[in-house]
Amino acid sequence: MSFLVMILVPTMAFQEVLHLLKIVLNTHGVSVVPDVSPAVSMSSLLDVVVPPILTLCNMSASQLDPVQNAVYIINLVSSLYNVLSMYENTDTKLTVLQNKVSEELETLTNLQYDHMMKVTGVPPTEMINGDRLTVVAGKLDQALLNTELLWLQHCTRLSTLRHRNAVWSDACEQYVKIYSVLHSSPHNQGVLLKSPEQIRQLLK
């Protein structure tokens, strides 16, 4: 597996594919078929070239763990999206790519949330008791002193700040919801002192 794959950025081979795609898109208006509108011409072209590129993305990420897989696919598909967004009549395929990115971001958000739960020792709701909440309080206080402990390492390798912020923000909201359940539990007898809103602000 190449170093570039391991650091979750597009490989030289994938960048070359995007370069060739640009060349094709720049010349697609020269149609050998008469009376074909630019929109139809572009749609037909993208129907041919985009699916194999998406297949390449999935194959490239197939040997990675779930977190790396999601990050890598997001980075690759976003690179493809950025190329297509420079051309007219690509809206349909841009929607497909955006949906793919959104799907992977949702997966990554859930993995990020699970990591936060693990780091802070949050138990399943049916296992909540005073002792477990004491553990949560201690681990959470420690994590809040260095929120990097709460980050999934590979999430920081998302190529755009917008995606990194979206994953972190959505995962934090999920965490605040479960914290609210713990905070309002009858087992919380002065153990979890911070309110859910305080936790939300500290995670920003």
mmCIF file of all heavy atoms in Angstrom, residues 23-44:
data_model
loop_
_atom_site.group_PDB
_atom_site.id
_atom_site.type_symbol
_atom_site.label_atom_id
_atom_site.label_comp_id
_atom_site.label_asym_id
_atom_site.label_seq_id
_atom_site.Cartn_x
_atom_site.Cartn_y
_atom_site.Cartn_z
ATOM 1 N N ILE A 23 -8.772 16.916 -19.253
ATOM 2 C CA ILE A 23 -8.489 17.005 -20.688
ATOM 3 C C ILE A 23 -9.721 16.608 -21.495
ATOM 4 O O ILE A 23 -10.106 17.274 -22.468
ATOM 5 C CB ILE A 23 -7.293 16.108 -21.054
ATOM 6 C CG1 ILE A 23 -6.007 16.640 -20.423
ATOM 7 C CG2 ILE A 23 -7.131 16.017 -22.572
ATOM 8 C CD1 ILE A 23 -4.803 15.753 -20.627
ATOM 9 N N VAL A 24 -10.364 15.519 -21.070
ATOM 10 C CA VAL A 24 -11.561 15.051 -21.774
ATOM 11 C C VAL A 24 -12.681 16.076 -21.667
ATOM 12 O O VAL A 24 -13.356 16.401 -22.657
ATOM 13 C CB VAL A 24 -12.017 13.688 -21.207
ATOM 14 C CG1 VAL A 24 -13.374 13.291 -21.801
ATOM 15 C CG2 VAL A 24 -10.984 12.612 -21.502
ATOM 16 N N LEU A 25 -12.886 16.623 -20.489
ATOM 17 C CA LEU A 25 -13.970 17.590 -20.292
ATOM 18 C C LEU A 25 -13.711 18.879 -21.051
ATOM 19 O O LEU A 25 -14.653 19.523 -21.526
ATOM 20 C CB LEU A 25 -14.139 17.877 -18.800
ATOM 21 C CG LEU A 25 -14.627 16.710 -17.944
ATOM 22 C CD1 LEU A 25 -14.689 17.117 -16.474
ATOM 23 C CD2 LEU A 25 -15.993 16.213 -18.406
ATOM 24 N N ASN A 26 -12.467 19.246 -21.164
ATOM 25 C CA ASN A 26 -12.137 20.479 -21.898
ATOM 26 C C ASN A 26 -12.399 20.351 -23.390
ATOM 27 O O ASN A 26 -12.536 21.360 -24.089
ATOM 28 C CB ASN A 26 -10.663 20.841 -21.674
ATOM 29 C CG ASN A 26 -10.420 21.409 -20.286
ATOM 30 O OD1 ASN A 26 -11.311 21.976 -19.669
ATOM 31 N ND2 ASN A 26 -9.203 21.244 -19.789
ATOM 32 N N THR A 27 -12.465 19.120 -23.888
ATOM 33 C CA THR A 27 -12.661 18.911 -25.333
ATOM 34 C C THR A 27 -14.020 18.300 -25.657
ATOM 35 O O THR A 27 -14.293 18.002 -26.819
ATOM 36 C CB THR A 27 -11.567 17.988 -25.895
ATOM 37 O OG1 THR A 27 -11.599 16.725 -25.203
ATOM 38 C CG2 THR A 27 -10.192 18.608 -25.718
ATOM 39 N N HIS A 28 -14.877 18.110 -24.642
ATOM 40 C CA HIS A 28 -16.131 17.392 -24.884
ATOM 41 C C HIS A 28 -17.069 18.149 -25.820
ATOM 42 O O HIS A 28 -17.926 17.564 -26.470
ATOM 43 C CB HIS A 28 -16.864 17.105 -23.570
ATOM 44 C CG HIS A 28 -17.780 18.207 -23.146
ATOM 45 N ND1 HIS A 28 -17.322 19.346 -22.522
ATOM 46 C CD2 HIS A 28 -19.122 18.353 -23.281
ATOM 47 C CE1 HIS A 28 -18.340 20.147 -22.276
ATOM 48 N NE2 HIS A 28 -19.446 19.584 -22.724
ATOM 49 N N GLY A 29 -16.891 19.493 -25.912
ATOM 50 C CA GLY A 29 -17.772 20.282 -26.761
ATOM 51 C C GLY A 29 -17.564 20.024 -28.245
ATOM 52 O O GLY A 29 -18.423 20.347 -29.065
ATOM 53 N N VAL A 30 -16.425 19.428 -28.576
ATOM 54 C CA VAL A 30 -16.175 19.105 -29.982
ATOM 55 C C VAL A 30 -16.834 17.772 -30.267
ATOM 56 O O VAL A 30 -16.237 16.703 -30.146
ATOM 57 C CB VAL A 30 -14.666 19.040 -30.271
ATOM 58 C CG1 VAL A 30 -14.421 18.772 -31.736
ATOM 59 C CG2 VAL A 30 -13.975 20.315 -29.814
ATOM 60 N N SER A 31 -18.119 17.790 -30.597
ATOM 61 C CA SER A 31 -18.898 16.562 -30.760
ATOM 62 C C SER A 31 -18.894 16.083 -32.196
ATOM 63 O O SER A 31 -19.025 16.874 -33.133
ATOM 64 C CB SER A 31 -20.345 16.784 -30.294
ATOM 65 O OG SER A 31 -21.110 15.620 -30.509
ATOM 66 N N VAL A 32 -18.702 14.782 -32.357
ATOM 67 C CA VAL A 32 -18.761 14.192 -33.698
ATOM 68 C C VAL A 32 -20.184 13.801 -34.053
ATOM 69 O O VAL A 32 -20.454 13.341 -35.152
ATOM 70 C CB VAL A 32 -17.839 12.952 -33.796
ATOM 71 C CG1 VAL A 32 -16.393 13.351 -33.580
ATOM 72 C CG2 VAL A 32 -18.256 11.882 -32.787
ATOM 73 N N VAL A 33 -21.091 13.949 -33.124
ATOM 74 C CA VAL A 33 -22.503 13.615 -33.348
ATOM 75 C C VAL A 33 -23.267 14.919 -33.544
ATOM 76 O O VAL A 33 -23.326 15.748 -32.634
ATOM 77 C CB VAL A 33 -23.097 12.819 -32.166
ATOM 78 C CG1 VAL A 33 -24.557 12.476 -32.450
ATOM 79 C CG2 VAL A 33 -22.281 11.573 -31.904
ATOM 80 N N PRO A 34 -23.865 15.138 -34.703
ATOM 81 C CA PRO A 34 -24.578 16.397 -34.953
ATOM 82 C C PRO A 34 -25.863 16.501 -34.125
ATOM 83 O O PRO A 34 -26.445 15.493 -33.729
ATOM 84 C CB PRO A 34 -24.893 16.321 -36.451
ATOM 85 C CG PRO A 34 -24.933 14.856 -36.758
ATOM 86 C CD PRO A 34 -23.894 14.225 -35.866
ATOM 87 N N ASP A 35 -26.253 17.741 -33.894
ATOM 88 C CA ASP A 35 -27.536 18.022 -33.222
ATOM 89 C C ASP A 35 -27.622 17.447 -31.807
ATOM 90 O O ASP A 35 -28.706 17.079 -31.338
ATOM 91 C CB ASP A 35 -28.704 17.491 -34.054
ATOM 92 C CG ASP A 35 -28.738 18.068 -35.463
ATOM 93 O OD1 ASP A 35 -28.429 19.263 -35.597
ATOM 94 O OD2 ASP A 35 -29.047 17.309 -36.405
ATOM 95 N N VAL A 36 -26.502 17.328 -31.122
ATOM 96 C CA VAL A 36 -26.495 16.877 -29.731
ATOM 97 C C VAL A 36 -26.191 18.085 -28.852
ATOM 98 O O VAL A 36 -25.161 18.748 -29.032
ATOM 99 C CB VAL A 36 -25.447 15.770 -29.492
ATOM 100 C CG1 VAL A 36 -25.371 15.427 -28.006
ATOM 101 C CG2 VAL A 36 -25.805 14.531 -30.301
ATOM 102 N N SER A 37 -27.088 18.395 -27.928
ATOM 103 C CA SER A 37 -26.890 19.561 -27.069
ATOM 104 C C SER A 37 -25.712 19.338 -26.132
ATOM 105 O O SER A 37 -25.372 18.201 -25.803
ATOM 106 C CB SER A 37 -28.156 19.823 -26.245
ATOM 107 O OG SER A 37 -28.312 18.812 -25.266
ATOM 108 N N PRO A 38 -25.079 20.419 -25.668
ATOM 109 C CA PRO A 38 -23.968 20.279 -24.722
ATOM 110 C C PRO A 38 -24.361 19.520 -23.461
ATOM 111 O O PRO A 38 -23.582 18.734 -22.932
ATOM 112 C CB PRO A 38 -23.600 21.733 -24.409
ATOM 113 C CG PRO A 38 -24.032 22.491 -25.603
ATOM 114 C CD PRO A 38 -25.288 21.815 -26.086
ATOM 115 N N ALA A 39 -25.597 19.752 -22.978
ATOM 116 C CA ALA A 39 -26.041 19.078 -21.759
ATOM 117 C C ALA A 39 -26.122 17.573 -21.954
ATOM 118 O O ALA A 39 -25.679 16.789 -21.110
ATOM 119 C CB ALA A 39 -27.400 19.623 -21.322
ATOM 120 N N VAL A 40 -26.700 17.158 -23.094
ATOM 121 C CA VAL A 40 -26.806 15.728 -23.385
ATOM 122 C C VAL A 40 -25.432 15.127 -23.601
ATOM 123 O O VAL A 40 -25.120 14.024 -23.130
ATOM 124 C CB VAL A 40 -27.705 15.494 -24.621
ATOM 125 C CG1 VAL A 40 -27.661 14.027 -25.037
ATOM 126 C CG2 VAL A 40 -29.133 15.922 -24.322
ATOM 127 N N SER A 41 -24.582 15.857 -24.305
ATOM 128 C CA SER A 41 -23.227 15.384 -24.561
ATOM 129 C C SER A 41 -22.467 15.177 -23.258
ATOM 130 O O SER A 41 -21.815 14.146 -23.054
ATOM 131 C CB SER A 41 -22.484 16.385 -25.452
ATOM 132 O OG SER A 41 -21.140 16.015 -25.621
ATOM 133 N N MET A 42 -22.546 16.157 -22.358
ATOM 134 C CA MET A 42 -21.850 16.052 -21.080
ATOM 135 C C MET A 42 -22.418 14.926 -20.237
ATOM 136 O O MET A 42 -21.676 14.149 -19.620
ATOM 137 C CB MET A 42 -21.951 17.376 -20.316
ATOM 138 C CG MET A 42 -21.324 17.338 -18.933
ATOM 139 S SD MET A 42 -19.536 17.079 -18.983
ATOM 140 C CE MET A 42 -18.965 18.765 -19.226
ATOM 141 N N SER A 43 -23.736 14.803 -20.198
ATOM 142 C CA SER A 43 -24.370 13.741 -19.415
ATOM 143 C C SER A 43 -23.920 12.360 -19.885
ATOM 144 O O SER A 43 -23.599 11.488 -19.080
ATOM 145 C CB SER A 43 -25.895 13.855 -19.513
ATOM 146 O OG SER A 43 -26.523 12.807 -18.810
ATOM 147 N N SER A 44 -23.891 12.182 -21.196
ATOM 148 C CA SER A 44 -23.461 10.894 -21.757
ATOM 149 C C SER A 44 -22.010 10.607 -21.417
ATOM 150 O O SER A 44 -21.644 9.473 -21.068
ATOM 151 C CB SER A 44 -23.647 10.893 -23.278
ATOM 152 O OG SER A 44 -25.003 11.074 -23.623
#
